[in-house]
């Protein structure tokens, strides 16, 4: 189940026999340790049978995430998990990246319902596979694995996993990518990084989006950057405004640098 919102407490036993909805990743990370502690102290889950079931789900997701990374690495693809609140601009960023990026990319797209975002990307000539999660507030490694089988991996340099819009649960699930990019937009307010530190602690790059709206909102962008670096001192931060194509190009350049660093 999801340790943050309990999205799969109902029917959890079924997931020990199926790959549809699996558990948290980063088995060797600090957050994974915290997740285990949370499971042991959550009053809803405070029995040995439930903990045992969840442990199996955690291990299965970790195994599948590593399998996804093997897929990426065998094809020389950089995998990037794109996370944010709904409406922060993930799909819009990808649309604009298609105009400036030197690398070829595709997208495994996650939403509860509809294929709207995947259709937007396809209209830009971007290979996209929609995953509809139903009630789940995040993608897991098994969902992403199924999506990868519908992607033209031989033709890609980068594969984005555009996660379900949510600042909590996606941070806890290793989906098999190499990097995490987290977006936070000016209209969301200047407290999101401080209030949702787990997400930003996982970030390799933080994008502060919709900066063209700064004149219309009370938003201390420098304070937000300080919060991000307090949570993760070495995190990279870029300001993005899709009306300023140079800011989008800076994101593409960052990704291309990371891709080349991986060889």
């Amino acid at each position: 189940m999801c340790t943050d919102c309990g999205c799969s407490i109902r029917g959890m036993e079924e997931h020990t026999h199926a790959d549809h909805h699996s558990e948290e990743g980063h088995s060797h990370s600090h957050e994974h340790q915290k997740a285990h502690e949370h499971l042991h102290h959550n009053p809803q889950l405070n029995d040995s049978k439930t903990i045992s079931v969840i442990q199996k789900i955690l291990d299965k997701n970790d195994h599948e995430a590593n399998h996804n990374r093997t897929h990426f690495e065998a094809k020389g693809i950089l995998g990037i998990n794109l996370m944010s609140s709904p409406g922060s601009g993930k799909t819009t960023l990808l649309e604009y990246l298609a105009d400036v990026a030197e690398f070829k990319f595709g997208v495994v797209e996650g939403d509860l319902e509809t294929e709207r975002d995947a259709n937007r990307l396809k209209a830009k000539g971007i290979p996209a596979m929609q995953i509809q999660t139903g009630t789940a507030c995040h993608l897991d490694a098994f969902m992403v694995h199924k999506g990868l089988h519908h992607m033209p991996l031989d033709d890609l340099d980068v594969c984005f996993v555009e996660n379900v819009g949510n600042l909590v649960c996606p941070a806890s699930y290793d989906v098999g990518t190499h990097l995490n990019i987290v977006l936070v937009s000016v209209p969301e307010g200047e407290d999101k990084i401080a209030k949702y530190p787990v997400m930003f602690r996982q970030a390799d790059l933080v994008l502060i989006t919709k900066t063209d709206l700064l004149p219309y909102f009370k938003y201390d962008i420098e304070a937000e950057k300080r919060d991000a670096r307090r949570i993760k001192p070495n995190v990279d931060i870029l300001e993005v405004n899709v009306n300023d194509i140079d800011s989008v190009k800076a994101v593409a350049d960052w990704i291309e640098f990371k891709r080349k660093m991986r060889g």
Side-chain angles (χ1 to χ4, degrees):
M1 63 138 256
C2 171
T3 61
D4 299 297
C5 71
C7 64
S8 62
I9 290 178
R10 184 175 63 250
M12 180 174 60
E13 293 82 359
E14 296 176 4
H15 298 311
T16 63
H17 304 290
D19 291 341
H20 173 66
H21 184 87
S22 55
E23 249 307 325
E24 297 184 48
H26 302 297
S27 59
H28 302 294
S29 72
H30 178 62
E31 290 308 317
H32 189 78
Q33 297 277 349
K34 289 176 65 178
H36 281 289
E37 293 172 8
H38 179 89
L39 293 174
H40 283 282
H41 294 91
N42 189 324
Q44 297 181 53
L45 306 170
N46 197 17
D47 69 87
S48 59
K49 181 179 179 181
T50 301
I51 291 170
S52 177
V53 169
I54 292 171
Q55 177 64 61
K56 292 178 182 178
I57 297 172
L58 286 165
D59 291 343
K60 289 177 69 176
N61 187 79
D62 292 345
H63 182 270
E64 192 72 358
N66 287 329
H67 185 52
N68 291 347
R69 266 186 291 274
T70 299
H71 269 306
F72 288 136
E73 289 160 7
K75 302 292 185 179
I77 294 172
L78 177 67
I80 298 176
N81 191 7
L82 206 59
M83 299 181 285
S84 78
S85 299
S88 292
K90 297 187 297 297
T91 308
T92 300
L93 174 67
L94 293 170
E95 289 175 315
Y96 278 81
L97 277 175
D99 295 329
V100 300
E102 297 181 3
F103 50 84
K104 298 177 181 178
F105 68 89
V107 183
V108 175
E109 178 71 47
D111 279 305
L112 271 69
E113 296 288 347
T114 82
E115 296 190 2
R116 294 180 182 180
D117 286 355
N119 289 338
R120 285 173 56 185
L121 297 173
K122 290 175 183 177
K124 291 285 294 186
I126 304 167
M129 174 62 189
Q130 183 73 52
I131 303 293
Q132 296 181 25
T133 66
T135 60
C137 57
H138 55 271
L139 293 174
D140 63 32
F142 289 94
M143 297 176 192
V144 171
H145 180 78
K146 291 176 183 178
L148 292 179
H149 281 289
H150 297 274
M151 297 294 293
L153 298 181
D154 289 332
D155 301 327
L156 302 181
D157 301 310
V158 175
C159 185
F160 290 97
V161 175
E162 184 180 346
N163 224 307
V164 178
N166 186 333
L167 270 181
V168 183
C169 306
S172 299
Y173 288 76
D174 184 358
V175 295
T177 51
H178 302 104
L179 297 171
N180 294 321
I181 296 178
V182 182
L183 287 69
V184 60
S185 66
V186 169
E188 292 175 67
E190 59 182 17
D191 58 355
K192 294 301 177 291
I193 294 176
K195 289 173 68 175
Y196 297 92
V198 174
M199 175 71 75
F200 292 93
R201 195 173 293 124
Q202 299 291 340
D204 297 287
L205 173 66
V206 172
L207 300 180
I208 302 178
T209 63
K210 306 184 182 182
T211 55
D212 52 322
L213 298 178
L214 280 169
Y216 309 103
F217 288 86
K218 182 182 177 182
Y219 191 95
D220 188 339
I221 195 167
E222 295 305 319
E224 281 289 84
K225 292 177 182 179
R226 288 194 296 271
D227 278 342
R229 292 197 168 106
R230 174 180 54 81
I231 291 165
K232 188 172 183 180
N234 63 338
V235 71
D236 291 326
I237 302 172
L238 293 173
E239 299 177 23
V240 179
N241 159 22
V242 294
N243 296 311
D244 174 9
I245 201 64
D246 286 340
S247 71
V248 179
K249 183 66 164 59
V251 178
D253 290 344
W254 185 93
I255 294 169
E256 180 67 5
F257 174 77
K258 294 293 185 180
R259 189 177 75 84
K260 289 181 176 177
M261 285 290 288
R262 293 191 63 84

